[in-house]
Amino acid sequence: MPIFSSKEQFNANAGKYAVSDVHRAGPSLPALLDLAAPVAGDSALDVATGTGHTALAVARYVKQMTGLDLASKMLEQAKRLAIEQGNSNCEFVEGSAEAMPFASDQFSLVTARHAPHHFHRADLFLCEVRRVMTNNGRFVMADQITPSMEMLDWVNIWESTRDPSHFWQRTVEQWKLETAKAGFRWIDHRIVPYRLEFAWWVRQAGCSDDTISALAEHAAKASSSVRNSFGLEFDQSGRVASFLEPMIVVRLE
């Protein structure tokens, strides 16, 4: 399997993410907005903003919003959507979540949604969030999680087979350890389930027929505990039809 960077993977599929309802208005977004509680005085940053759906949602409530992403074609889509939505307080900047091109103590609100499982150095990402965030700021992260430690290998093979830029899908406990090491306080969190159709999921990532077959085989060989925990459902022919992708939405300070 070829190994792609997140930049290559998302540049190749930017148009799909611009129109994806899962990313534009999936159930983690209202949970993120509720926990973030954006206000008019906020200067906000959305890390790994992609095509800007989260940034543009938060921008309605804050003074200034900046969206950061590695993939230039994703940012082109974000800028187009901002113009179409008449947004005037959102800028988009190309750069890495693990080495942000911003001064310290700059943002009172930082968000990151549907992206941290791509980051190879979660420790650097979290340290960078702390660096660019003001002392009284808050950080709200939403990302897909693995239901239990026992499922880590199965889930991460599943995710990286579909999208070679995937790195690691953590459990809630692993995120608690990572964020504590970076000096964050865990204020509140919610688990938001996503029911994903397999056909949509593989199409979104531009999967080849061989990759789709490998994923179907991986699902078919899943243990009963994995099937139950991950909500795997199969059609009458025995082929995977959908699954449950749990997302954590957490407020950190």
Short mmCIF file of all heavy atoms in Angstrom, two decimals, residues 38-98:
data_model
loop_
_atom_site.label_atom_id
_atom_site.label_comp_id
_atom_site.label_asym_id
_atom_site.label_seq_id
_atom_site.Cartn_x
_atom_site.Cartn_y
_atom_site.Cartn_z
N PRO A 38 -18.42 30.03 21.85
CA PRO A 38 -17.74 31.18 21.25
C PRO A 38 -18.49 32.48 21.53
O PRO A 38 -19.73 32.50 21.57
CB PRO A 38 -17.75 30.85 19.75
CG PRO A 38 -18.89 29.89 19.58
CD PRO A 38 -18.95 29.10 20.84
N VAL A 39 -17.73 33.56 21.73
CA VAL A 39 -18.32 34.87 22.02
C VAL A 39 -17.71 35.91 21.10
O VAL A 39 -16.67 35.69 20.46
CB VAL A 39 -18.11 35.27 23.49
CG1 VAL A 39 -18.84 34.31 24.42
CG2 VAL A 39 -16.63 35.31 23.84
N ALA A 40 -18.34 37.06 21.05
CA ALA A 40 -17.96 38.10 20.08
C ALA A 40 -16.53 38.58 20.24
O ALA A 40 -15.90 39.02 19.28
CB ALA A 40 -18.93 39.28 20.19
N GLY A 41 -15.98 38.48 21.46
CA GLY A 41 -14.62 38.98 21.68
C GLY A 41 -13.53 37.98 21.35
O GLY A 41 -12.34 38.31 21.42
N ASP A 42 -13.89 36.76 20.97
CA ASP A 42 -12.89 35.72 20.72
C ASP A 42 -12.10 35.96 19.44
O ASP A 42 -12.66 36.34 18.40
CB ASP A 42 -13.56 34.35 20.60
CG ASP A 42 -13.82 33.69 21.93
OD1 ASP A 42 -12.99 33.85 22.86
OD2 ASP A 42 -14.85 32.99 22.06
N SER A 43 -10.81 35.69 19.54
CA SER A 43 -9.97 35.49 18.37
C SER A 43 -9.72 33.99 18.30
O SER A 43 -9.12 33.41 19.20
CB SER A 43 -8.65 36.24 18.50
OG SER A 43 -7.82 36.00 17.38
N ALA A 44 -10.22 33.33 17.23
CA ALA A 44 -10.28 31.87 17.21
C ALA A 44 -9.40 31.27 16.12
O ALA A 44 -9.15 31.90 15.08
CB ALA A 44 -11.72 31.41 17.02
N LEU A 45 -8.97 30.05 16.37
CA LEU A 45 -8.16 29.28 15.42
C LEU A 45 -8.77 27.90 15.26
O LEU A 45 -9.08 27.24 16.25
CB LEU A 45 -6.72 29.14 15.93
CG LEU A 45 -5.82 28.15 15.19
CD1 LEU A 45 -5.52 28.63 13.77
CD2 LEU A 45 -4.51 27.92 15.97
N ASP A 46 -8.94 27.46 14.01
CA ASP A 46 -9.37 26.09 13.72
C ASP A 46 -8.20 25.36 13.07
O ASP A 46 -7.77 25.72 11.97
CB ASP A 46 -10.60 26.08 12.81
CG ASP A 46 -11.15 24.68 12.61
OD1 ASP A 46 -11.27 23.95 13.61
OD2 ASP A 46 -11.47 24.32 11.46
N VAL A 47 -7.68 24.34 13.76
CA VAL A 47 -6.49 23.61 13.32
C VAL A 47 -6.90 22.47 12.39
O VAL A 47 -7.85 21.74 12.67
CB VAL A 47 -5.72 23.06 14.54
CG1 VAL A 47 -4.45 22.34 14.07
CG2 VAL A 47 -5.37 24.18 15.50
N ALA A 48 -6.15 22.30 11.30
CA ALA A 48 -6.48 21.30 10.28
C ALA A 48 -7.91 21.51 9.81
O ALA A 48 -8.74 20.61 9.81
CB ALA A 48 -6.26 19.89 10.80
N THR A 49 -8.18 22.73 9.37
CA THR A 49 -9.53 23.18 9.06
C THR A 49 -10.13 22.52 7.82
O THR A 49 -11.34 22.53 7.63
CB THR A 49 -9.55 24.72 8.89
OG1 THR A 49 -10.89 25.19 8.91
CG2 THR A 49 -8.86 25.15 7.60
N GLY A 50 -9.29 21.92 6.97
CA GLY A 50 -9.80 21.28 5.76
C GLY A 50 -10.48 22.28 4.85
O GLY A 50 -9.91 23.32 4.50
N THR A 51 -11.72 22.01 4.48
CA THR A 51 -12.46 22.93 3.61
C THR A 51 -13.22 23.97 4.42
O THR A 51 -14.10 24.65 3.88
CB THR A 51 -13.42 22.16 2.69
OG1 THR A 51 -14.27 21.31 3.46
CG2 THR A 51 -12.64 21.30 1.70
N GLY A 52 -12.90 24.09 5.70
CA GLY A 52 -13.35 25.24 6.48
C GLY A 52 -14.71 25.16 7.12
O GLY A 52 -15.19 26.15 7.66
N HIS A 53 -15.34 23.99 7.13
CA HIS A 53 -16.71 23.92 7.66
C HIS A 53 -16.78 24.34 9.13
O HIS A 53 -17.66 25.11 9.52
CB HIS A 53 -17.26 22.51 7.49
CG HIS A 53 -17.43 22.08 6.07
ND1 HIS A 53 -18.20 22.79 5.17
CD2 HIS A 53 -16.93 21.02 5.39
CE1 HIS A 53 -18.18 22.17 3.99
NE2 HIS A 53 -17.40 21.10 4.10
N THR A 54 -15.85 23.84 9.95
CA THR A 54 -15.88 24.19 11.37
C THR A 54 -15.51 25.65 11.57
O THR A 54 -16.16 26.36 12.34
CB THR A 54 -14.92 23.28 12.16
OG1 THR A 54 -15.30 21.91 11.95
CG2 THR A 54 -14.97 23.59 13.64
N ALA A 55 -14.47 26.10 10.88
CA ALA A 55 -14.06 27.50 11.00
C ALA A 55 -15.19 28.45 10.64
O ALA A 55 -15.44 29.45 11.35
CB ALA A 55 -12.85 27.76 10.10
N LEU A 56 -15.90 28.16 9.57
CA LEU A 56 -16.98 29.05 9.14
C LEU A 56 -18.16 29.01 10.09
O LEU A 56 -18.84 30.02 10.28
CB LEU A 56 -17.41 28.68 7.72
CG LEU A 56 -16.34 28.95 6.64
CD1 LEU A 56 -16.73 28.31 5.31
CD2 LEU A 56 -16.14 30.46 6.47
N ALA A 57 -18.39 27.86 10.73
CA ALA A 57 -19.46 27.77 11.73
C ALA A 57 -19.12 28.60 12.96
O ALA A 57 -19.97 29.32 13.50
CB ALA A 57 -19.71 26.32 12.10
N VAL A 58 -17.87 28.50 13.43
CA VAL A 58 -17.45 29.26 14.61
C VAL A 58 -17.36 30.74 14.29
O VAL A 58 -17.67 31.61 15.13
CB VAL A 58 -16.09 28.73 15.13
CG1 VAL A 58 -15.57 29.61 16.27
CG2 VAL A 58 -16.21 27.28 15.59
N ALA A 59 -16.97 31.08 13.07
CA ALA A 59 -16.75 32.48 12.68
C ALA A 59 -17.99 33.34 12.84
O ALA A 59 -17.89 34.56 13.02
CB ALA A 59 -16.26 32.54 11.22
N ARG A 60 -19.17 32.73 12.80
CA ARG A 60 -20.40 33.50 12.95
C ARG A 60 -20.52 34.15 14.32
O ARG A 60 -21.28 35.10 14.51
CB ARG A 60 -21.62 32.59 12.74
CG ARG A 60 -21.66 31.89 11.38
CD ARG A 60 -22.96 31.11 11.22
NE ARG A 60 -22.93 30.32 10.00
CZ ARG A 60 -22.85 28.99 9.97
NH1 ARG A 60 -22.80 28.32 11.11
NH2 ARG A 60 -22.84 28.34 8.82
N TYR A 61 -19.76 33.62 15.30
CA TYR A 61 -19.92 34.08 16.68
C TYR A 61 -18.75 34.90 17.20
O TYR A 61 -18.86 35.48 18.29
CB TYR A 61 -20.10 32.86 17.60
CG TYR A 61 -21.25 31.97 17.23
CD1 TYR A 61 -21.05 30.83 16.44
CD2 TYR A 61 -22.54 32.25 17.66
CE1 TYR A 61 -22.10 30.00 16.10
CE2 TYR A 61 -23.60 31.43 17.32
CZ TYR A 61 -23.38 30.31 16.54
OH TYR A 61 -24.42 29.49 16.19
N VAL A 62 -17.62 34.93 16.50
CA VAL A 62 -16.39 35.50 17.05
C VAL A 62 -15.93 36.73 16.26
O VAL A 62 -16.42 37.01 15.17
CB VAL A 62 -15.26 34.45 17.08
CG1 VAL A 62 -15.68 33.24 17.90
CG2 VAL A 62 -14.85 34.02 15.67
N LYS A 63 -14.97 37.42 16.86
CA LYS A 63 -14.42 38.62 16.23
C LYS A 63 -13.59 38.27 15.00
O LYS A 63 -13.74 38.87 13.94
CB LYS A 63 -13.55 39.36 17.25
CG LYS A 63 -12.79 40.56 16.71
CD LYS A 63 -12.00 41.24 17.82
CE LYS A 63 -10.95 40.32 18.41
NZ LYS A 63 -10.13 40.97 19.46
N GLN A 64 -12.71 37.29 15.15
CA GLN A 64 -11.81 36.90 14.07
C GLN A 64 -11.56 35.40 14.11
O GLN A 64 -11.36 34.83 15.18
CB GLN A 64 -10.47 37.64 14.19
CG GLN A 64 -9.44 37.28 13.14
CD GLN A 64 -9.86 37.67 11.72
OE1 GLN A 64 -10.50 38.70 11.54
NE2 GLN A 64 -9.52 36.85 10.74
N MET A 65 -11.58 34.75 12.95
CA MET A 65 -11.33 33.31 12.84
C MET A 65 -10.20 33.08 11.85
O MET A 65 -10.18 33.68 10.77
CB MET A 65 -12.60 32.58 12.39
CG MET A 65 -12.38 31.15 11.91
SD MET A 65 -11.58 30.04 13.09
CE MET A 65 -12.91 29.77 14.27
N THR A 66 -9.29 32.19 12.21
CA THR A 66 -8.22 31.75 11.32
C THR A 66 -8.32 30.24 11.15
O THR A 66 -8.44 29.51 12.14
CB THR A 66 -6.84 32.12 11.88
OG1 THR A 66 -6.76 33.52 12.07
CG2 THR A 66 -5.73 31.67 10.94
N GLY A 67 -8.29 29.77 9.92
CA GLY A 67 -8.26 28.35 9.64
C GLY A 67 -6.89 27.95 9.14
O GLY A 67 -6.34 28.59 8.24
N LEU A 68 -6.32 26.89 9.71
CA LEU A 68 -4.97 26.42 9.36
C LEU A 68 -5.07 25.02 8.76
O LEU A 68 -5.75 24.15 9.30
CB LEU A 68 -4.10 26.38 10.62
CG LEU A 68 -2.68 25.83 10.45
CD1 LEU A 68 -1.81 26.85 9.71
CD2 LEU A 68 -2.07 25.51 11.82
N ASP A 69 -4.35 24.80 7.65
CA ASP A 69 -4.33 23.46 7.06
C ASP A 69 -3.10 23.30 6.18
O ASP A 69 -2.60 24.28 5.61
CB ASP A 69 -5.59 23.21 6.22
CG ASP A 69 -5.88 21.72 6.07
OD1 ASP A 69 -5.34 21.09 5.14
OD2 ASP A 69 -6.65 21.18 6.88
N LEU A 70 -2.63 22.05 6.06
CA LEU A 70 -1.49 21.73 5.21
C LEU A 70 -1.83 21.70 3.73
O LEU A 70 -0.97 21.92 2.88
CB LEU A 70 -0.93 20.35 5.59
CG LEU A 70 0.11 20.22 6.68
CD1 LEU A 70 0.43 18.75 6.90
CD2 LEU A 70 1.38 20.99 6.33
N ALA A 71 -3.09 21.38 3.41
CA ALA A 71 -3.47 21.07 2.03
C ALA A 71 -4.01 22.31 1.32
O ALA A 71 -5.10 22.81 1.64
CB ALA A 71 -4.50 19.95 2.01
N SER A 72 -3.28 22.80 0.33
CA SER A 72 -3.66 24.05 -0.34
C SER A 72 -4.98 23.93 -1.08
O SER A 72 -5.77 24.90 -1.11
CB SER A 72 -2.55 24.47 -1.32
OG SER A 72 -2.34 23.45 -2.29
N LYS A 73 -5.27 22.77 -1.64
CA LYS A 73 -6.52 22.63 -2.38
C LYS A 73 -7.73 22.58 -1.44
O LYS A 73 -8.82 23.02 -1.80
CB LYS A 73 -6.47 21.39 -3.28
CG LYS A 73 -5.48 21.54 -4.42
CD LYS A 73 -5.62 20.44 -5.46
CE LYS A 73 -4.60 20.61 -6.57
NZ LYS A 73 -4.76 21.89 -7.27
N MET A 74 -7.54 22.06 -0.24
CA MET A 74 -8.60 22.14 0.76
C MET A 74 -8.85 23.61 1.13
O MET A 74 -10.01 24.04 1.26
CB MET A 74 -8.22 21.34 2.00
CG MET A 74 -8.08 19.84 1.77
SD MET A 74 -9.65 18.95 1.61
CE MET A 74 -9.99 18.56 3.33
N LEU A 75 -7.78 24.37 1.28
CA LEU A 75 -7.94 25.79 1.62
C LEU A 75 -8.59 26.58 0.48
O LEU A 75 -9.33 27.53 0.74
CB LEU A 75 -6.58 26.39 1.98
CG LEU A 75 -5.95 25.86 3.27
CD1 LEU A 75 -4.58 26.50 3.49
CD2 LEU A 75 -6.85 26.13 4.47
N GLU A 76 -8.32 26.20 -0.75
CA GLU A 76 -9.01 26.85 -1.88
C GLU A 76 -10.52 26.66 -1.76
O GLU A 76 -11.30 27.60 -2.01
CB GLU A 76 -8.52 26.26 -3.20
CG GLU A 76 -7.11 26.68 -3.59
CD GLU A 76 -6.60 25.95 -4.82
OE1 GLU A 76 -7.40 25.23 -5.45
OE2 GLU A 76 -5.40 26.08 -5.13
N GLN A 77 -10.93 25.45 -1.38
CA GLN A 77 -12.35 25.20 -1.20
C GLN A 77 -12.90 26.00 -0.01
O GLN A 77 -14.02 26.54 -0.07
CB GLN A 77 -12.59 23.70 -0.96
CG GLN A 77 -12.25 22.81 -2.14
CD GLN A 77 -13.25 22.94 -3.27
OE1 GLN A 77 -14.38 23.37 -3.09
NE2 GLN A 77 -12.82 22.56 -4.46
N ALA A 78 -12.12 26.11 1.07
CA ALA A 78 -12.55 26.88 2.24
C ALA A 78 -12.75 28.35 1.88
O ALA A 78 -13.74 28.98 2.29
CB ALA A 78 -11.51 26.74 3.36
N LYS A 79 -11.82 28.91 1.12
CA LYS A 79 -11.94 30.32 0.72
C LYS A 79 -13.16 30.53 -0.18
O LYS A 79 -13.86 31.55 -0.07
CB LYS A 79 -10.65 30.76 0.01
CG LYS A 79 -9.44 30.81 0.92
CD LYS A 79 -8.15 31.06 0.15
CE LYS A 79 -6.94 31.01 1.07
NZ LYS A 79 -5.66 31.15 0.34
N ARG A 80 -13.42 29.56 -1.05
CA ARG A 80 -14.60 29.66 -1.92
C ARG A 80 -15.88 29.62 -1.09
O ARG A 80 -16.80 30.43 -1.31
CB ARG A 80 -14.59 28.51 -2.93
CG ARG A 80 -15.82 28.48 -3.84
CD ARG A 80 -15.80 27.28 -4.77
NE ARG A 80 -15.85 26.02 -4.06
CZ ARG A 80 -16.96 25.48 -3.55
NH1 ARG A 80 -18.12 26.12 -3.66
NH2 ARG A 80 -16.92 24.31 -2.92
N LEU A 81 -15.94 28.71 -0.13
CA LEU A 81 -17.13 28.62 0.71
C LEU A 81 -17.32 29.89 1.54
O LEU A 81 -18.47 30.34 1.74
CB LEU A 81 -17.02 27.40 1.64
CG LEU A 81 -17.13 26.03 0.96
CD1 LEU A 81 -16.83 24.92 1.97
CD2 LEU A 81 -18.51 25.83 0.35
N ALA A 82 -16.22 30.47 2.01
CA ALA A 82 -16.33 31.72 2.79
C ALA A 82 -16.94 32.83 1.95
O ALA A 82 -17.80 33.59 2.42
CB ALA A 82 -14.94 32.13 3.29
N ILE A 83 -16.52 32.92 0.70
CA ILE A 83 -17.08 33.94 -0.20
C ILE A 83 -18.55 33.67 -0.45
O ILE A 83 -19.39 34.59 -0.39
CB ILE A 83 -16.29 33.98 -1.52
CG1 ILE A 83 -14.86 34.49 -1.28
CG2 ILE A 83 -17.01 34.84 -2.56
CD1 ILE A 83 -13.94 34.34 -2.46
N GLU A 84 -18.89 32.42 -0.71
CA GLU A 84 -20.28 32.06 -0.99
C GLU A 84 -21.18 32.35 0.21
O GLU A 84 -22.35 32.71 0.05
CB GLU A 84 -20.38 30.58 -1.36
CG GLU A 84 -19.79 30.25 -2.73
CD GLU A 84 -19.87 28.78 -3.05
OE1 GLU A 84 -20.38 28.00 -2.21
OE2 GLU A 84 -19.42 28.40 -4.15
N GLN A 85 -20.63 32.20 1.43
CA GLN A 85 -21.42 32.42 2.64
C GLN A 85 -21.37 33.87 3.11
O GLN A 85 -21.97 34.20 4.14
CB GLN A 85 -20.93 31.48 3.75
CG GLN A 85 -21.15 30.01 3.45
CD GLN A 85 -20.61 29.08 4.52
OE1 GLN A 85 -20.41 29.48 5.67
NE2 GLN A 85 -20.33 27.83 4.16
N GLY A 86 -20.66 34.72 2.37
CA GLY A 86 -20.57 36.13 2.74
C GLY A 86 -19.77 36.37 4.01
O GLY A 86 -19.99 37.36 4.71
N ASN A 87 -18.82 35.49 4.28
CA ASN A 87 -18.02 35.62 5.49
C ASN A 87 -16.92 36.66 5.30
O ASN A 87 -16.22 36.64 4.29
CB ASN A 87 -17.40 34.26 5.84
CG ASN A 87 -16.54 34.33 7.07
OD1 ASN A 87 -15.42 34.80 7.01
ND2 ASN A 87 -17.06 33.87 8.20
N SER A 88 -16.74 37.53 6.29
CA SER A 88 -15.74 38.59 6.17
C SER A 88 -14.72 38.60 7.32
O SER A 88 -13.87 39.48 7.36
CB SER A 88 -16.43 39.96 6.09
OG SER A 88 -17.21 40.19 7.26
N ASN A 89 -14.82 37.66 8.25
CA ASN A 89 -13.90 37.68 9.40
C ASN A 89 -13.08 36.40 9.52
O ASN A 89 -12.62 36.04 10.60
CB ASN A 89 -14.68 37.91 10.69
CG ASN A 89 -15.57 36.73 11.07
OD1 ASN A 89 -16.02 35.99 10.19
ND2 ASN A 89 -15.83 36.55 12.36
N CYS A 90 -12.91 35.69 8.40
CA CYS A 90 -12.21 34.41 8.43
C CYS A 90 -11.09 34.41 7.40
O CYS A 90 -11.33 34.70 6.22
CB CYS A 90 -13.20 33.28 8.14
SG CYS A 90 -12.61 31.64 8.62
N GLU A 91 -9.88 34.09 7.84
CA GLU A 91 -8.76 33.95 6.91
C GLU A 91 -8.24 32.52 6.99
O GLU A 91 -8.41 31.84 8.01
CB GLU A 91 -7.64 34.94 7.25
CG GLU A 91 -6.96 34.70 8.59
CD GLU A 91 -5.74 35.57 8.78
OE1 GLU A 91 -5.27 36.17 7.79
OE2 GLU A 91 -5.24 35.62 9.92
N PHE A 92 -7.61 32.08 5.92
CA PHE A 92 -7.12 30.71 5.85
C PHE A 92 -5.63 30.72 5.54
O PHE A 92 -5.18 31.41 4.62
CB PHE A 92 -7.90 29.91 4.81
CG PHE A 92 -9.35 29.72 5.19
CD1 PHE A 92 -10.33 30.54 4.67
CD2 PHE A 92 -9.70 28.74 6.11
CE1 PHE A 92 -11.66 30.38 5.03
CE2 PHE A 92 -11.03 28.57 6.48
CZ PHE A 92 -12.01 29.39 5.95
N VAL A 93 -4.88 29.94 6.35
CA VAL A 93 -3.42 29.97 6.31
C VAL A 93 -2.92 28.54 6.11
O VAL A 93 -3.40 27.60 6.74
CB VAL A 93 -2.85 30.54 7.63
CG1 VAL A 93 -1.33 30.48 7.64
CG2 VAL A 93 -3.35 31.96 7.86
N GLU A 94 -1.92 28.38 5.23
CA GLU A 94 -1.32 27.08 5.00
C GLU A 94 -0.23 26.81 6.04
O GLU A 94 0.65 27.66 6.24
CB GLU A 94 -0.74 27.00 3.59
CG GLU A 94 -0.30 25.61 3.18
CD GLU A 94 0.06 25.52 1.70
OE1 GLU A 94 -0.36 26.39 0.92
OE2 GLU A 94 0.78 24.56 1.34
N GLY A 95 -0.30 25.66 6.69
CA GLY A 95 0.71 25.34 7.69
C GLY A 95 0.38 24.09 8.47
O GLY A 95 -0.71 23.52 8.34
N SER A 96 1.32 23.65 9.29
CA SER A 96 1.24 22.38 10.02
C SER A 96 0.68 22.56 11.42
O SER A 96 1.01 23.52 12.12
CB SER A 96 2.64 21.76 10.10
OG SER A 96 2.64 20.66 10.99
N ALA A 97 -0.12 21.58 11.84
CA ALA A 97 -0.63 21.55 13.21
C ALA A 97 0.47 21.32 14.22
O ALA A 97 0.32 21.65 15.40
CB ALA A 97 -1.69 20.46 13.34
N GLU A 98 1.59 20.76 13.78
CA GLU A 98 2.68 20.42 14.69
C GLU A 98 3.76 21.49 14.73
O GLU A 98 4.73 21.39 15.50
CB GLU A 98 3.27 19.07 14.27
CG GLU A 98 2.25 17.94 14.42
CD GLU A 98 2.67 16.65 13.72
OE1 GLU A 98 3.77 16.63 13.15
OE2 GLU A 98 1.88 15.68 13.73
#
